[in-house]
Amino acid sequence: MKYTPAQLERFLRPRSIALVGGAWTDYVAAGNARIGYAGELWRVHPKRASTPDQRYYRSLDELPGAPDQAFLAVPADDIPQVAQQLERRGAGGFVCFAAGFSETGTDQGKARTAALLQAAPTLPFIGPNCYGMVNFFDRCALWPDQVVGGVPEKGVALLCQSGTLALNLMFNARSLPIGYVITVGNQTRLAIEDLVEVLCQDPRVTAFGMYLEGMGDPQAFARAAEVARAAGKPIALVKAGRSEQAAAQAQTHTGSMTGSDAAFDAYCRQLGIARCDTLDTLVEVLKILHCGGPLPGRRILVMGCSGGDMAMTSDVARDMPLEFPPIPPAAAAKIDAVLTGRVSIVNPFDMNTYTWLDPPAQRRIFDATLETGVDAVALMLDCPPDGVDQSAYLAVIREYIKGKQAMGAAAPRAIMMSSLPETLPQVVRDECLAAGMPPLQGQRPTLEALTLAAQMGEAWRRGGSVELCRAPAASAGSAAPRVIYEQEAKDALAAHGVPVPARRVVAPTDAVAAATAIGFPVVLKATGGDIAHKSERGGVRLNLRSAAEVEAAARDLAAIAPNVLVEQMVGDGVAEILVGVLNDAVFGLSLVLGTGGILTELLKDTVTLLPPFGRESVTEALLRLRGAALLTGFRGRPRGDLAAAADAVLGIARYAEGHVATLAELEVNPLIVRPKGAIVVDALIRCR
C-alpha cells in the first residue's frame, strides 16, 4: 500500500506516542526521556495503577487523542485487536514489536499476519518482529533498548532487518552521524523501499545504510534506489546469504559457479549501491558518503609519516581496483623543495617526520599533495589515546584540514585515516567531520570503503538501471526440467539471430557424406540421449580434415551415442566466451559472461548482468573479464570482433527473455569470437 509523504511524515516524526504494554514499554519510555522527546507520551496498560508522575490508560479508547505513533508490546494473538483499535481511532501508525507471525513459516504465524492486515487495512506500520525506530533528528524513540547517539544537523538513515545489528551500528564509537535507525522486521506493511522514498525528501538525510536478509520486491527496491540516486542520497548495505546455490541443482557450468548472490552483486553494481562484506566497512563507507557522496574516481593518493604504513597500504590494496598514480612533477618539485631530497616522492607517499615540528612546512607539503589532480587524498596517522599528550598529532591534522579548507571547492576529496580503528580519537573525528572530511578507522576497512565509494561514483555517472525480467508466479511447476541438447538448442538460438555453424545430425555411417557436403575441416560430436557435457565423456573430435579421419571418429563416437553432429570447424577464433543465463526466483533472468572453453571451471572468471541488456553494458562486461586481453590483441594476436560478440550475446538474451516463463537455465560454451564475427559452437538449454 502506498502512502502520501504527509502520512509517513506523521509516522516518522510523531508529536504523540502511545506505549501499549508492560515492561518492554518501560524501556521505550526511558529512551524517550534520554533523547529528550518533547511530545505527548501516553502509557496504556489494562492493570497498572496510575501514580502522580505517570497516568496509565486502560485502553486506547481512553486516550485524549489519536496517537501519531504507537509501540505495541503485547502478545502476538492480541496484536490484531489493538491494531484495529488504532485504525478506528485514526492513529498515524504503529510498531509491531511482537514476534510469531509470518517469519515462523507456520500456519499459525501466517494466520496472525492475515488477521493483522485485515484489522489495520490502511495504517502504516513496521514489523511484526521488529525492534522499532529512533529518530535522532526530532528526538523521538519507539525503541525497547538503549538509545545511544547525538542529535546531528545531518546524518545517515540506517534501515535494518535485524534489531541486534541495528543496535550494533547505533553503538559504534566511530563518529558516524546517525539521523534515523529503523528496523523493518517482516516488512508486512512498510518495506525498506517505502522508507527510502519518503526519507529521500528529508534534507537532513545524507545517505542510507542497510542490513538486508532478503528482498520482497526487488523491482520496487530498484525504483527506490533510483529515487535515492536522483536525490543525491547514496545507499550502502550489507546483505546476508553469500553462499552459492548447490552445484547439484545446476545442469550447467554457469549454474554451478554462480548463484543468486552473483545476481544481487550485479543488482547493486548496476544501481550504484555499495555492497559491503562487514559492518566495519559499512560504517566507513557511510562516513565517506555522508561527507560529500560517492568519490568521482579511484585515483587515490595516500601519505603518512611512516614507510611501514605506506608499504602496508600498497600491500592491503593489492587486490582492490584502487589506483595510486605517480605524483605529478610540479607537485613533486614543491614537496622536494621542503624535504630537500631526503625522501622518495612516490605514491603512497612516506613524508617521514622531518617536518613533524614545523607546521608551515607541513602545510606546504599538504598543499602540494592536494594539487595532484587525484580523486581523493588521504592522510594516514595513528594518534595516542585519550589521557596522553596528543598535541603534536593534532597539530599535523589541523594543518591538513587548513590546507583542504583553503582550497575550497577546488580541493579533491580529503580523507583522514588510521591503520587501527581505535587510534583516531574523538577529538580528531569531531574536527574532521566539522570540516567535511571523513575520519576513517582501520586500514583495510578504509581502503575497501574508498574502493566502494569510487565504484559507486562510476556507476552513478553511467546512470545504470535494473528492469528485472521474471517469470509469472503461476509458471513455476513441479515437473522435472526438460533438457534441450545442442542441435535443437542451436536451432532455437539461430531463430533469434544468433550465429551458429553449418551442421547436420546423422547416423555415424553417414558422417562422411555430411562432412563432404559441409566442407572440411569439420567437428564430430556424439549426440542423442543424455549427453550434456560431451567433452568430459570423450564425445568430441576436432579439426577432422579428411573422409578417413571422419570415418574413424564416427566409428569411435558410435559407442557413446546413436547419432553424431557433423559441424563446420571454426579455426580462427581469438577467444572463447561462456554465455549463461540463469532464471532466479527472486531476480529473474541474469546474464553470465565468462572466460569459456576448457578454462571455464579452472578460472571461474565471470561477470553477471541484469536487464536491461544493451550492447554497451555487454561490451563493458566482456572487457572486465580477466580473459579480456585475448579480445583486444594479446601479444600481437588479432583483435576479436567485440561488436559481433556483443550482438551474439544479445541474441541469446532475446531468446531467454522470450522464454522467461519456462527457461530454467541456458549455457553457450563456447561462443567463439573471431577477428571478424562470432559464432556459437555448443549450447544447452534446460526448461521447466
Side-chain angles (χ1 to χ4, degrees):
M1 181 173 181
K2 298 297 290 184
Y3 294 96
T4 67
Q7 286 174 305
L8 292 183
E9 172 93 356
R10 183 185 179 197
F11 178 87
L12 293 168
R13 305 173 70 175
R15 287 178 288 186
S16 59
I17 298 174
L19 305 182
V20 186
W24 285 108
T25 64
D26 293 339
Y27 285 104
V28 180
N32 277 289
R34 188 177 305 115
I35 202 172
Y37 179 61
E40 296 283 350
L41 198 66
W42 299 322
R43 305 296 301 272
V44 180
H45 194 282
K47 296 180 180 179
R48 282 189 176 184
S50 297
T51 68
D53 297 324
Q54 180 63 66
R55 177 177 178 180
Y56 282 92
Y57 297 92
R58 292 287 171 260
S59 72
L60 289 164
D61 291 333
E62 293 184 12
L63 295 181
D68 292 328
Q69 258 274 35
F71 187 91
L72 309 187
V74 301
D77 286 331
D78 295 339
I79 289 289
Q81 179 184 356
V82 178
Q84 187 175 49
Q85 293 171 0
L86 288 167
E87 176 92 23
R88 187 176 63 245
R89 289 226 58 181
F94 60 90
V95 171
C96 185
F97 177 57
F101 289 78
S102 59
E103 80 280 358
T104 64
T106 63
D107 291 340
Q108 182 186 43
K110 294 174 184 176
R112 284 174 176 157
T113 298
L116 171 57
L117 290 170
Q118 185 177 9
T122 68
L123 281 186
F125 64 86
I126 52 176
N129 189 30
C130 80
Y131 232 48
M133 57 167 279
V134 182
N135 176 347
F136 287 101
F137 292 132
D138 300 300
R139 300 176 183 266
C140 64
L142 291 99
W143 191 259
D145 211 313
Q146 299 295 326
V147 175
V148 178
V151 182
E153 291 184 10
K154 292 190 173 185
V156 304
L158 300 178
L159 310 176
C160 300
Q161 285 183 273
S162 165
T164 298
L165 287 181
L167 270 173
N168 296 348
L169 290 167
M170 187 190 294
F171 292 168
N172 86 87
R174 299 192 181 198
S175 298
L176 174 66
I178 299 174
Y180 290 96
V181 177
I182 305 176
T183 63
V184 295
N186 299 353
Q187 303 190 84
T188 298
R189 177 60 55 76
L190 285 178
I192 283 181
E193 54 264 26
D194 301 312
L195 297 166
V196 168
E197 291 197 19
V198 70
L199 291 175
C200 277
Q201 300 177 50
D202 189 334
R204 302 169 298 180
V205 173
T206 55
F208 293 97
M210 301 178 187
Y211 170 76
L212 304 181
E213 293 174 351
M215 302 192 78
D217 188 343
Q219 190 62 66
F221 189 99
R223 287 194 296 270
E226 291 176 12
V227 169
R229 186 172 66 202
K233 299 178 190 294
I235 297 172
L237 58 80
V238 171
K239 182 182 178 294
R242 277 196 174 274
S243 59
E244 293 180 351
Q245 64 189 48
Q249 296 176 343
Q251 182 88 7
T252 64
H253 295 291
T254 309
S256 65
M257 292 191 303
T258 58
S260 60
D261 191 65
F264 186 73
D265 272 341
Y267 180 85
C268 290
R269 184 175 60 250
Q270 286 176 222
L271 290 169
I273 294 171
R275 185 182 186 186
C276 310
D277 279 334
T278 65
L279 296 184
D280 266 351
T281 303
L282 178 65
V283 169
E284 300 313 311
V285 77
L286 284 173
K287 285 191 279 190
I288 296 174
L289 300 178
H290 170 76
C291 294
L295 293 179
R298 60 184 69 194
R299 291 164 50 85
I300 309 296
L301 188 154
V302 177
M303 59 183 164
C305 297
S306 163
D309 280 346
M310 297 304 100
M312 283 193 65
T313 296
S314 297
D315 287 347
V316 173
R318 70 189 182 280
D319 57 350
M320 303 177 193
L322 291 174
E323 298 174 9
F324 297 91
I327 296 174
K334 292 179 180 179
I335 295 170
D336 193 53
V338 178
L339 297 175
T340 61
R342 291 174 289 182
V343 170
S344 297
I345 303 172
V346 295
N347 181 19
F349 172 44
D350 172 19
M351 57 189 285
N352 217 290
T353 54
Y354 294 119
T355 62
W356 187 252
L357 301 177
D358 188 350
Q362 294 166 12
R363 174 66 183 278
R364 289 163 61 195
I365 292 174
F366 295 144
D367 287 350
T369 58
L370 290 166
E371 295 173 354
T372 52
V374 294
D375 299 303
V377 175
L379 172 63
M380 186 173 183
L381 184 63
D382 290 68
C383 302
D386 292 333
V388 178
D389 183 10
Q390 300 169 335
S391 58
Y393 295 81
L394 289 172
V396 175
I397 294 166
R398 285 166 180 161
E399 289 301 322
Y400 180 51
I401 291 174
K402 288 177 187 176
K404 182 256 186 191
Q405 291 175 327
M407 284 192 70
R413 295 287 289 280
I415 309 291
M416 186 69 217
M417 64 180 287
S418 60
S419 60
L420 293 173
E422 62 270 21
T423 53
L424 215 54
Q426 181 79 45
V427 61
V428 173
R429 302 196 303 267
D430 288 348
E431 291 191 24
C432 287
L433 283 171
M437 179 188 298
L440 305 184
Q441 297 165 256
Q443 190 172 48
R444 175 165 283 278
T446 290
L447 293 170
E448 289 175 351
L450 290 170
T451 299
L452 290 166
Q455 291 173 337
M456 179 182 288
E458 292 168 353
W460 278 31
R461 285 195 301 278
R462 288 195 303 268
S465 63
V466 168
E467 297 173 10
L468 298 179
C469 181
R470 293 184 288 178
S475 67
S478 58
R482 180 174 79 91
V483 178
I484 301 174
Y485 292 102
E486 181 174 354
Q487 172 68 1
E488 186 183 350
K490 284 180 176 174
D491 289 342
L493 294 175
H496 288 76
V498 179
V500 296
R503 65 207 182 283
R504 293 184 183 180
V505 174
V506 296
T509 54
D510 296 326
V512 171
T516 303
I518 291 171
F520 294 100
V522 295
V523 177
L524 258 62
K525 302 177 184 179
T527 189
D530 183 12
I531 303 179
H533 301 298
K534 295 174 287 295
S535 60
E536 295 170 10
R537 297 179 58 179
V540 180
R541 300 289 190 275
L542 301 174
N543 204 26
L544 305 175
R545 295 183 170 274
S546 68
E549 290 180 355
V550 169
E551 185 176 13
R555 191 164 47 246
D556 291 343
L557 296 181
I560 298 175
N563 295 313
V564 293
L565 173 65
V566 185
E567 187 172 81
Q568 167 196 358
M569 174 73 191
V570 180
D572 62 347
V574 299
E576 295 187 349
I577 302 297
L578 163 77
V579 184
V581 179
L582 299 179
N583 201 350
D584 181 75
V586 175
F587 295 102
L589 296 182
S590 60
L591 181 63
V592 182
L593 304 177
T595 301
I598 62 172
L599 298 178
T600 294
E601 291 286 356
L602 178 65
L603 296 182
K604 291 181 168 58
D605 175 24
T606 63
V607 174
T608 300
L609 297 175
L610 294 176
F613 305 123
R615 177 180 281 194
E616 183 178 352
S617 61
V618 168
T619 302
E620 187 267 339
L622 288 171
L623 292 174
R624 276 198 284 130
L625 295 172
R626 293 197 298 276
L630 296 173
L631 293 168
T632 56
F634 183 65
R635 292 192 173 181
R637 296 180 63 187
R639 296 175 63 88
D641 190 339
L642 266 174
D647 286 343
V649 171
L650 292 174
I652 295 166
R654 283 194 299 274
Y655 169 85
E657 290 169 332
H659 295 79
V660 64
T662 56
L663 181 68
E665 56 183 330
L666 177 160
E667 181 173 280
V668 165
N669 189 17
L671 168 68
I672 295 183
V673 185
R674 312 166 79 178
K676 186 173 183 179
I679 193 165
V680 167
V681 298
D682 200 359
L684 181 145
I685 299 170
R686 193 161 66 98
C687 296
R688 295 191 183 93

